[in-house]
């Protein structure tokens, strides 16, 4: 995707609502913070996505309209990689924990980046790319409604 200096300035302005890195670190234990750092994920990104340590992974919301949360195991953890709590919402199409994806897509003139999973969206967010999401269907699955 090609962006102009004006696009980047508008993007930066649209992203100023993110809290400083120091505000969220009190919520992470050293193990969780280390795993995020190893993935290149900083404090502001973890705070924005509301990542909370939970057992051997992170628990996080997927939509502001749902009480459901998703759990992701720390890298290298044996066993199940993802779980839903209490269950996956039947109508969930996109990972959009704060309900801001539509505005971010609009800010990029309709461009949407569809990632394989939530951690990919965290990494892109860390890099300043806000118009990315995951379909919540799993790796390699293209949603029927998108393929049409």
């Amino acid at each position: 995707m090609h962006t102009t200096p004006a696009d980047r300035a508008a993007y930066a302005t649209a992203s100023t609502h993110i809290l400083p890195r120091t505000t969220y670190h009190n919520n992470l234990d050293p193990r969780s913070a280390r795993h995020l750092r190893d993935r290149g994920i900083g404090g502001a990104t973890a705070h924005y996505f509301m990542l909370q340590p939970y057992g051997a992974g992170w628990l996080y919301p997927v939509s502001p309209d749902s009480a459901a949360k998703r759990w992701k195991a720390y890298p290298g953890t044996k066993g199940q990689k993802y779980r839903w709590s209490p269950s996956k919402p039947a109508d969930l199409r996109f990972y959009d924990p704060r309900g801001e994806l539509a505005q971010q897509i609009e800010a990029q003139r309709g461009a949407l980046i569809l990632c394989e999973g939530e951690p990919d969206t965290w990494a892109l967010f860390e890099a300043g790319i806000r118009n990315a999401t995951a379909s919540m269907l799993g790796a390699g699955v293209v949603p029927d409604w998108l393929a049409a």
Side-chain angles (χ1 to χ4, degrees), residues 1 11 15 18 39-42 45 48-49 112-134:
M1 170 174 58
Y11 217 43
S15 303
I18 301 169
R39 287 177 161 255
I41 308 297
T45 298
Y48 179 84
F49 287 103
L112 170 67
I113 299 170
L114 186 60
C115 299
E116 184 174 277
E118 302 91 69
D120 299 322
T121 66
W122 307 339
L124 288 173
F125 189 92
E126 183 72 23
I129 299 169
R130 309 289 191 257
N131 56 320
T133 188

Side-chain angles (χ1 to χ4, degrees), residues 76 81 148:
K81 189 173 177 181

Side-chain angles (χ1 to χ4, degrees), residues 52-108:
Q52 295 295 316
Y54 190 82
W58 298 282
L59 190 65
Y60 49 91
V62 294
S63 168
D65 302 325
S66 174
K69 293 188 177 190
R70 190 144 190 210
W71 178 85
K72 159 111 178 68
Y74 294 142
T77 302
K78 293 187 191 273
Q80 198 171 4
K81 189 173 177 181
Y82 289 97
R83 286 193 304 250
W84 287 96
S85 175
S87 62
K88 180 181 178 182
D91 60 346
L92 183 65
R93 292 174 73 152
F94 291 113
Y95 177 50
D96 186 15
R98 292 189 178 266
E100 299 174 353
L101 182 60
Q103 294 93 330
Q104 299 297 350
I105 293 168
E106 185 178 327
Q108 292 302 308

